[in-house]
Amino acid sequence: MIAAAGAAALAAALAGCGAQGDSSNGSAAHLAAPDIPAPARGALPIGAPEPLRADPHAVQWAPLRRATVARAAPSPKARAVASLSSRTPEDTTNLVLVLARARDAHGGLWIRARLPARRAQSGWLPRAALGGYEDVHTRLIVDRGRLSLTLLRNGRAVFRAPVGIGRATTPTPAGDFYIRDRLTRYASPFYGPVAFGTSAQSATLTDWPAGGYVGIHRTNQPELIPGRVSHGCIRLRNADIARLARLLPVGTPLQIR
């Protein structure tokens, strides 16, 4: 009797948990579904996607991870135009200026790059031969007619200075190049505490270490600046090269007019 009474009480408790009987006809109770509100209107609506705008002043460069061959087209079968080492003659990391991208017939990615080579201004390199991209927003202009140097940042001039350039018999080459390395170990009265190597090469011997590549450095004869006084390198007065060193990053495009 006690067990039966307990079972009856438990059944009554369960029947009354969350439900009520229908007093009108005595049928079994049904759970009422709650009203579900309509979804709230988004507080942060997502519009149509827009492509990122290219920065007109940004230029990319990349270091070479290994020695490679630059080719005339984005294909491993294209004509070779230059052989590049991963190190410069000054034993710094070699780098190239990124100009364009393309894929070959097999989907391989290639980079057209400005090269540090006399006979080839640009060539195609396999992307796998390069390291990560770096951005610069600067541009360096050397005007041989005005014997001047101007550094632009985001299109605005931030530094100007008179320069010495090559003599008529050893001219500073004209063209589009870039700043390839920054050197601080040539602490001598001639080169000064800092100098820059460029991708430009002279058709005649220059006074830059390792020969051939045009450098930007100080001079021990500042009274000759501005003038046509060098073997092809670009010389600045001591105070000017010190200030330029604080403003000029490697990878900066260089235009010699």
Side-chain angles (χ1 to χ4, degrees):
M1 293 294 294
I2 295 175
L10 178 60
L14 292 174
C17 182
Q20 293 181 349
D22 187 344
S23 59
S24 62
N25 54 18
S27 62
H30 296 280
L31 290 176
D35 292 333
I36 299 176
R41 192 172 182 180
L44 189 64
I46 300 176
E50 295 184 4
L52 292 175
R53 296 180 180 178
D55 186 337
H57 303 296
V59 177
Q60 290 184 321
W61 61 268
L64 270 75
R65 298 173 56 196
R66 55 178 170 80
T68 190
V69 174
R71 300 192 178 274
S75 168
K77 297 181 180 180
R79 175 177 56 87
V81 297
S83 295
L84 302 180
S85 170
S86 63
R87 307 295 292 179
T88 70
E90 297 82 30
D91 198 32
T92 62
T93 300
N94 204 0
L95 59 94
V96 295
L97 207 63
V98 177
L99 301 177
R101 299 166 178 82
R103 293 192 179 274
D104 59 26
H106 302 286
L109 182 59
W110 290 73
I111 303 301
R112 187 168 74 88
R114 183 85 62 209
L115 305 177
R118 181 181 293 119
R119 295 191 179 95
Q121 286 285 328
S122 67
W124 290 92
L125 305 172
R127 178 65 184 90
L130 303 176
Y133 296 133
E134 297 284 347
D135 290 347
V136 293
H137 293 77
T138 46
R139 180 184 175 200
L140 191 64
I141 300 172
V142 173
D143 190 321
R144 299 180 302 170
R146 297 182 178 180
L147 298 174
S148 67
L149 175 149
T150 303
L151 178 66
L152 305 178
R153 182 185 295 131
N154 293 320
R156 300 182 62 181
V158 295
F159 175 77
R160 289 189 177 92
V163 296
I165 62 170
R167 302 181 182 95
T169 55
T170 55
T172 301
D176 292 318
F177 310 102
Y178 59 93
I179 302 301
R180 190 159 66 140
D181 52 13
R182 171 192 170 110
L183 302 169
T184 56
R185 65 174 180 264
Y186 293 112
S188 69
F190 188 78
Y191 293 113
V194 62
F196 293 95
T198 79
S199 65
Q201 283 186 287
S202 176
T204 59
L205 181 65
T206 74
D207 54 3
W208 186 243
Y213 287 101
V214 172
I216 302 174
H217 56 80
R218 59 158 280 177
T219 177
N220 59 350
Q221 294 180 296
E223 68 277 6
L224 300 180
I225 294 176
R228 292 172 173 80
V229 295
S230 78
H231 291 164
C233 285
I234 299 162
R235 300 182 185 178
L236 285 84
R237 294 169 180 160
N238 300 348
D240 289 335
I241 190 68
R243 185 180 172 199
L244 181 65
R246 295 192 293 268
L247 301 171
L248 181 64
V250 297
T252 295
L254 166 64
Q255 183 183 56
I256 302 177
R257 298 173 176 172

